[in-house]
Amino acid sequence: NAQIQQGYMDDLVLMSETMVEKKLAELAASIVQGHPHTKFILIAGPSSAGKTTFSRRLAIHLKILGKKPMPISMDDFYKNREDCPRLPDGSYDFEGLEALDLELFNETMLKLLHNLPARMPHFNFKTGKREWRETLCMQQDQLLIIEGIHGLNPTTSAYIPDSAKFRIYINALTHLNLDDHNRIPTSDYRLIRRIARDYQFRGWSAAQTISFWKNVRHGEDKYIYPYQEEADAIFNSSMVYELAVLKPIVIPLLEEVKRTEKEFLEANRLHKLLDYFLEGDTSAIPRSSILAEFIGNSIFDV
């Protein structure tokens, strides 16, 4: 708040973004120099941790070091919708490991590892059907960057040699405390990011995002957190200035939640949290920032 009051918002943003850039450079160097046999970089983390932008920016740093990274989404290995398992209420369980065609995933990755041509699947979320894209063949100095909720689960890539894998866990781990005894929960950072992104890209209200958040957290507890210790590296995507910048976007959305709605208590709590922060100017955020993924002006295709 003091930095914003004194007119140093731009400096605050630049310092935060430079720190992220420094950590990305160090991570890329540790992969290339410390793990020379790596062919697959597996990235996993909870919702709104910034996985997509992180993977794109990591790819840039790997290119600088002479590698040829190629992004692959684990979502493309979903089974056809009618073959997905169902939840007790009859709806499809898209977050369960059984929703992925693990046999196809491992078969495809092994072909690529051994420089054999592999036809790549593409999951059409509108039709719920698998389609097929081009055939790929890994070249020398090529790396696959694979992002997905089950990336750290050993079962997912059971047939890929450990020496060929580098696993990264990403989360928005809280930088700030409100005082000496009260910290800002990591999940609040992510929920505020999610409210902003759902509004920008899905047209969701804050009430809708808050209502759905319980299911999101349940999936994280079941499919992500138990495997975070499997990671070779942990990346913190939170930035000290972000709640100040998200405040002018999220506060009006929270104020739309009516007192009669069951999501009001949570919306009111988040409102009170954001009240601690002075508003920051969103124009200060670089288009390559992880935060740009949530406010809708990212330079990357996210």
Side-chain angles (χ1 to χ4, degrees):
N1 284 347
Q3 294 287 305
I4 294 172
Q5 280 180 323
Q6 294 166 23
Y8 297 138
M9 178 69 187
D10 286 345
D11 283 351
L12 191 64
V13 171
L14 287 170
M15 288 178 66
S16 296
E17 294 293 339
T18 302
M19 180 59 72
V20 171
E21 209 68 57
K22 180 174 181 287
K23 292 190 294 184
L24 279 163
E26 291 171 349
L27 178 57
S30 73
I31 295 171
V32 173
Q33 297 166 12
H35 302 267
H37 300 296
T38 297
K39 290 293 183 182
F40 306 98
I41 299 174
L42 300 164
I43 300 171
S47 174
S48 301
K51 297 184 289 295
T52 304
T53 300
F54 166 77
S55 64
R56 302 295 194 275
R57 289 177 65 176
L58 178 62
I60 292 170
H61 282 275
L62 291 167
K63 287 178 183 178
I64 291 171
L65 296 175
K67 296 296 181 180
K68 299 172 184 174
M70 180 168 51
I72 286 182
S73 174
M74 203 170 281
D75 289 354
D76 282 331
F77 290 87
Y78 270 128
K79 296 175 181 176
N80 289 332
R81 190 162 293 159
E82 66 268 19
D83 298 325
C84 281
R86 292 181 181 267
L87 294 168
D89 64 1
S91 62
Y92 289 109
D93 181 10
F94 295 119
E95 295 192 339
L97 186 62
E98 294 78 13
L100 291 176
D101 190 337
L102 295 183
E103 183 177 349
L104 175 64
F105 176 77
N106 280 277
E107 177 185 310
T108 303
M109 295 304 112
L110 282 174
K111 284 181 179 178
L112 293 171
L113 178 63
H114 293 100
N115 303 115
L116 298 172
R119 196 178 182 198
M120 303 304 296
H122 170 70
F123 188 79
N124 187 324
F125 282 90
K126 290 183 179 179
T127 64
K129 299 283 188 181
R130 177 183 298 153
E131 299 171 354
W132 294 98
R133 295 192 302 187
E134 73 277 16
T135 297
L136 296 181
C137 189
M138 283 186 72
Q139 308 299 319
Q140 189 175 7
D141 291 328
Q142 207 157 31
L143 292 170
L144 297 183
I145 299 181
I146 304 168
E147 174 201 334
I149 185 175
H150 299 289
L152 300 183
N153 188 334
T155 305
T156 305
S157 55
Y159 302 121
I160 302 172
D162 282 344
S163 61
K165 294 184 287 191
F166 190 91
R167 291 155 290 204
I168 302 172
Y169 173 72
I170 177 173
N171 202 348
L173 304 170
T174 312
H175 278 99
L176 302 175
N177 293 340
L178 295 175
D179 53 38
D180 290 341
H181 305 288
N182 295 285
R183 69 180 185 87
I184 301 174
T186 292
S187 59
D188 282 354
Y189 262 58
R190 296 188 294 106
L191 177 52
I192 290 169
R193 285 180 173 186
R194 177 84 182 236
I195 289 171
R197 187 173 64 186
D198 283 352
Y199 171 74
Q200 301 282 347
F201 296 105
R202 296 181 177 178
W204 283 20
S205 67
Q208 286 175 294
T209 300
I210 291 170
S211 176
F212 190 64
W213 190 243
K214 181 180 178 181
N215 292 337
V216 172
R217 294 292 307 278
H218 175 73
E220 293 166 355
D221 289 340
K222 188 173 181 180
Y223 300 119
I224 296 177
Y225 296 136
Y227 304 106
Q228 58 188 329
E229 300 299 326
E230 300 287 334
D232 299 298
I234 295 174
F235 192 90
N236 184 3
S237 70
S238 73
M239 286 166 287
V240 68
Y241 73 88
E242 67 177 86
L243 293 186
V245 171
L246 290 171
K247 178 180 179 177
I249 299 172
V250 174
I251 284 286
L253 302 176
L254 295 174
E255 290 177 344
E256 290 177 358
V257 182
K258 297 180 175 63
R259 286 182 174 271
T260 54
E261 296 180 87
K262 63 180 184 298
E263 295 81 17
F264 176 78
L265 287 177
E266 181 69 350
N268 190 51
R269 185 185 69 80
L270 294 174
H271 195 302
K272 288 181 177 179
L273 169 61
L274 290 171
D275 283 342
Y276 283 101
F277 295 85
L278 294 178
E279 287 191 9
D281 185 1
T282 56
S283 66
I285 303 173
R287 291 185 62 206
S288 60
S289 172
I290 287 174
L291 203 56
E293 179 179 333
F294 303 94
I295 67 172
N297 67 337
S298 177
I299 198 170
F300 300 107
D301 182 18
V302 296

